[in-house]
Amino acid sequence: MAISAKNDPALNDDAEGMSYLNRLPRRLVTVYLPLAVFVFVLIFPFYWMAITAVKPNHQLTNYDQYSPFWVVEPTLDHIKYLLFETSYPGWLWNTMLVAFGSTVLSLAASVFAAYAIERVRFTGSRPAGLMIFLAYLVPPSILFIPLAVIVFQFGIYDTKLALIFTYPTFLIPFCTWLLMGYFRSIPFELEESALVDGATRWQILIKVILPLAVPGLISAGIFAFTLSWNEFIYALTFIQSSENKTIPVGVLTELVRGDVFEWGALMAGALFGSLPVVILYSFFVDSYVSSMTGAVKE
Amino acid sequence: MSSYTSQKPRSRVADMFQSKNAMGLMFMLPAAVFLICFLTYPLGLGVWLGFTDAKIGRDGVFIGLENYRYLWDDPVFWTSVFNTVVYTFVASVLKFVLGLWLAMILNENLPFKSFFRALVLLPWVVPTVLSALAFWWIFDAQFSIISWSLMQIGWIDGPINFLGDPTNARISVIAANVWRGIPFVAISLLAGLQTIPPSLQEAASLDGATSWQRFRLVTLPLLSPIIAVVMTFSVLFTFTDFQLIYVLTKGGPVNATHLMATLSFQRGIPGGQLGEGAAIAVAMIPFLLAAILFSFFGLQRRKWQQGGQD
């Protein structure tokens, strides 16, 4: 390695390319140190969340006698309180139901739309693709007031259905856009030979395109699921009763009360609300990253 | 040729086009119905509501520009506009600089590279409201861990009032927003960096370019198309941010951190003034368009990058 160079590093350097720039002391300052700082700052809030969730109340604010960064005698009291004395399990169930329902609904609609735009090439398929992209740019924070009125008119105010029907407004454009990219990468020849063999468009979609687009469907599904899991403003606006709330809304509106904050329970709630998406994410990191960057790269 | 041969293919072609359109329409139908019902229609309804005095539980009547005239004279509205612009600008610049830096670090030959990439993306994956709660606790007026640490080092004498003082509150919410936004920018730019062939860097360094020159004259121009898109999205997300402010300050202290989105919510839903809330939301649209156009066209690929004059 170049690190062991004795007198003139340039002479002894038999490494390739620009690795002469990559000596350890230099890399320590330019790469590892900043990376360590970044990772520390980005991860610390999660550590803080976790450590607070298991800290007994008397240690929580007593920084003089107990080091705040560590916990002696961790307790499960906050978690027990959360699971058995609040509506938290119900919110967890609601969030899952809503995220699952809206993801399935959006994926189904998006597969057809993306296939039509990308492969059927009907008159106006290009404007339709553009419209989908523009729809992706419409932010929920300018839609929630009129949507609240509409949800009320449809009689689904304060039901999970309100969320399942409104989340696709941002999921469908996203999924369609992503799937269009996937469909584009599937060679035309496959469809053509299926057409020659007498397959209908429907059969081609079901038997040729969809099996090939499974990675894309997984990516879109994972991302859509996390997006709906994380959604807040619609859930805050359209849901009133405690038993229909999702986790982000429930934790914020029901666990935060008065001036005495139950930081332990609050952090436990935040931790458990994050865990499902984090677990899902850790299994499908590559799908997640590819859908995130795929949507941006276009 | 005879009419027989020329007619038959044409009719078949016409037939195919028809069925193609019919099929395309059919396949588009589910998505279209959803988007028209829950996106296009509300968008129009929102604009209409902005011209009415609708309240919760009562249909409004058309009052023209009354809402906008009221907002024009409302100092709180202008504070929120100012806050939104500052928030978006400062947070986006910081996210861009730090995100690009992180992307370049992750683009080095690191051990456990994919592990670090996965770790770094966590703030983006976790629900904003829940991570904002953690920040609320970190920014606590009495028991903030930051204050405690700084006091231990001896840099400050008493705890910092993170969210109670207007200036501090602005800095704090921007910090939290940057924290959440860096991963998105970094990972997206990393994907862009990985498409730049290393041979270009090597060629530049053989020509005697310093590392700063290599960054400015090779990396940055090649990255600029993806920077444009990433920053457009980043600006869009930041400008319309709601969750973070709602959790951390709810717009306070004294409206110092109210963004247009939070003000629109406060007036529209708890305040019940649907018309006024909608008007604030509509007022966001021109700013939004301007921000998008600026970051998109301002950062677009330039002619000189392809060898022409700018």
Side-chain angles (χ1 to χ4, degrees):
Chain A
M1 276 301 289
I3 307 160
S4 62
K6 286 185 204 97
N7 300 329
D8 188 352
L11 286 178
N12 296 332
D13 188 4
D14 52 357
E16 280 184 31
M18 294 196 295
S19 59
Y20 67 90
L21 287 174
N22 296 341
R23 278 170 231 304
L24 194 59
R26 184 194 162 92
R27 276 176 74 82
L28 213 56
V29 178
T30 59
V31 177
Y32 294 116
L33 194 68
L35 180 68
V37 173
F38 268 117
V39 170
F40 175 78
V41 172
L42 291 176
I43 297 306
F44 180 75
F46 298 115
Y47 174 75
W48 196 232
M49 214 189 249
I51 203 97
T52 308
V54 294
K55 253 187 207 176
N57 270 332
H58 66 276
Q59 293 181 28
L60 208 54
T61 52
N62 191 344
Y63 289 171
D64 298 328
Q65 278 172 298
Y66 303 94
S67 164
F69 292 107
W70 196 238
V71 54
V72 240
E73 304 155 4
T75 172
L76 291 178
D77 284 352
H78 302 310
I79 295 164
K80 267 189 214 147
Y81 167 79
L82 192 72
L83 292 182
F84 299 111
E85 284 168 57
T86 66
S87 322
Y88 196 80
W91 301 333
L92 199 66
W93 173 244
N94 291 341
T95 317
M96 248 180 243
L97 211 66
V98 167
F100 188 75
S102 52
T103 302
V104 169
L105 211 61
S106 314
L107 269 187
S110 306
V111 164
F112 290 121
Y115 183 72
I117 292 172
E118 200 52 49
R119 281 303 161 87
V120 179
R121 296 231 170 254
F122 58 98
T123 321
S125 59
R126 285 184 64 87
L130 188 70
M131 295 292 275
I132 291 283
F133 180 69
L134 288 181
Y136 183 43
L137 294 179
V138 177
S141 39
I142 65 174
L143 280 183
F144 69 94
I145 289 180
L147 262 181
V149 175
I150 290 168
V151 159
F152 207 83
Q153 282 168 353
F154 280 14
I156 51 174
Y157 183 76
D158 199 15
T159 64
K160 293 187 250 320
L161 224 49
L163 304 183
I164 294 178
F165 281 158
T166 48
Y167 286 3
T169 52
F170 53 89
L171 297 182
I172 289 179
F174 174 80
C175 294
T176 309
W177 193 248
L178 199 74
L179 289 173
M180 276 165 64
Y182 267 86
F183 288 162
R184 211 173 300 142
S185 68
I186 296 172
F188 266 113
E189 287 79 1
L190 288 173
E191 271 183 280
E192 282 167 2
S193 56
L195 267 177
V196 169
D197 288 346
T200 62
R201 277 285 182 182
W202 175 259
Q203 283 173 320
I204 292 175
L205 176 61
I206 300 295
K207 294 193 174 153
V208 180
I209 300 289
L210 280 190
L212 286 170
V214 164
L217 285 174
I218 292 178
S219 297
I222 301 285
F223 210 87
F225 188 86
T226 41
L227 278 183
S228 27
W229 189 281
N230 299 359
E231 207 289 328
F232 179 65
I233 190 166
Y234 290 168
L236 179 71
T237 315
F238 306 155
I239 301 292
Q240 202 87 103
S241 51
S242 177
E243 65 262 31
N244 283 329
K245 281 179 178 166
T246 61
I247 286 183
V249 179
V251 169
L252 191 68
T253 55
E254 310 233 339
L255 292 188
V256 179
R257 41 180 123 77
D259 287 332
V260 186
F261 297 123
E262 292 275 350
W263 286 115
L266 212 53
M267 290 299 111
L271 194 68
F272 277 81
S274 311
L275 270 185
V277 275
V278 171
I279 291 168
L280 196 67
Y281 161 74
S282 64
F283 278 119
F284 296 98
V285 181
D286 288 322
S287 304
Y288 192 91
V289 172
S290 80
S291 56
M292 197 181 95
T293 52
V296 167
K297 257 185 185 169
E298 197 46 55
Chain B
M1 288 301 244
S2 70
S3 62
Y4 173 74
T5 43
S6 66
Q7 213 172 1
K8 190 126 196 219
R10 197 197 298 148
S11 74
R12 205 180 281 155
V13 165
D15 206 16
M16 210 177 75
F17 263 110
Q18 256 185 355
S19 76
K20 224 180 187 181
N21 282 342
M23 181 154 18
L25 215 65
M26 218 175 64
F27 277 7
M28 285 298 292
L29 204 62
V33 166
F34 251 109
L35 292 183
I36 289 170
C37 266
F38 292 109
L39 196 117
T40 319
Y41 171 51
L43 208 57
L45 184 66
V47 175
W48 162 252
L49 280 176
F51 292 118
T52 67
D53 60 352
K55 291 190 175 55
I56 285 183
R58 175 166 85 74
D59 288 339
V61 281
F62 182 80
I63 51 166
L65 289 172
E66 197 58 46
N67 284 326
Y68 296 96
R69 214 171 290 144
Y70 173 77
L71 287 175
W72 188 266
D73 297 327
D74 181 7
V76 177
F77 170 73
W78 287 110
T79 314
S80 81
V81 172
F82 171 76
N83 287 339
T84 315
V85 172
V86 171
Y87 182 77
T88 309
F89 181 76
V90 176
S92 297
V93 168
L94 285 175
K95 273 187 272 197
F96 170 65
V97 173
L98 295 171
L100 182 58
W101 190 12
L102 182 57
M104 302 208 31
I105 291 172
L106 288 175
N107 198 33
E108 298 279 335
N109 266 324
L110 291 173
F112 312 113
K113 188 172 176 171
S114 53
F115 169 74
F116 277 121
R117 196 186 62 176
L119 204 63
V120 154
L121 199 53
L122 267 184
W124 177 259
V125 179
V126 165
T128 313
V129 171
L130 303 182
S131 55
L133 278 172
F135 269 97
W136 198 24
W137 176 213
I138 287 174
F139 288 149
D140 189 85
Q142 264 180 297
F143 302 110
S144 163
I145 186 66
I146 301 177
S147 298
W148 183 82
S149 305
L150 291 179
M151 267 148 66
Q152 290 296 307
I153 305 173
W155 285 5
I156 53 170
D157 297 326
I160 303 171
N161 191 4
F162 283 104
L163 299 173
D165 171 82
T167 314
N168 286 352
R170 281 183 181 140
I171 296 171
S172 304
V173 291
I174 287 175
N177 180 278
V178 170
W179 175 85
R180 188 183 138 73
I182 285 178
F184 169 74
V185 177
I187 300 298
S188 305
L189 292 184
L190 178 62
L193 279 176
Q194 281 164 347
T195 63
I196 298 178
S199 56
L200 290 176
Q201 302 274 1
E202 286 171 17
S205 92
L206 281 178
D207 288 345
T210 62
S211 55
W212 169 247
Q213 282 172 324
R214 282 206 310 276
F215 169 73
R216 199 174 63 87
L217 299 171
V218 179
T219 311
L220 218 49
L222 285 168
L223 208 57
S224 66
I226 195 161
I227 290 176
V229 182
V230 170
M231 288 322 289
T232 308
F233 276 102
S234 178
V235 165
L236 187 76
F237 294 146
T238 318
F239 196 92
T240 58
D241 197 9
F242 170 82
Q243 318 190 3
L244 220 129
I245 303 290
Y246 190 78
V247 175
L248 285 178
T249 63
K250 289 214 164 59
V254 223
N255 301 319
T257 57
H258 247 315
L259 300 185
M260 290 167 86
T262 52
L263 189 70
S264 161
F265 178 85
Q266 199 201 44
R267 298 266 167 95
I269 304 296
Q273 307 281 347
L274 288 178
E276 202 186 318
I280 298 172
V282 170
M284 285 167 77
I285 296 175
F287 287 99
L288 210 53
L289 284 177
I292 290 172
L293 289 179
F294 174 75
S295 53
F296 194 74
F297 289 108
L299 297 164
Q300 267 287 33
R301 187 180 273 271
R302 295 277 162 71
K303 280 197 190 113
W304 57 264
Q305 284 156 12
Q306 289 142 337
Q309 289 294 309
D310 194 18

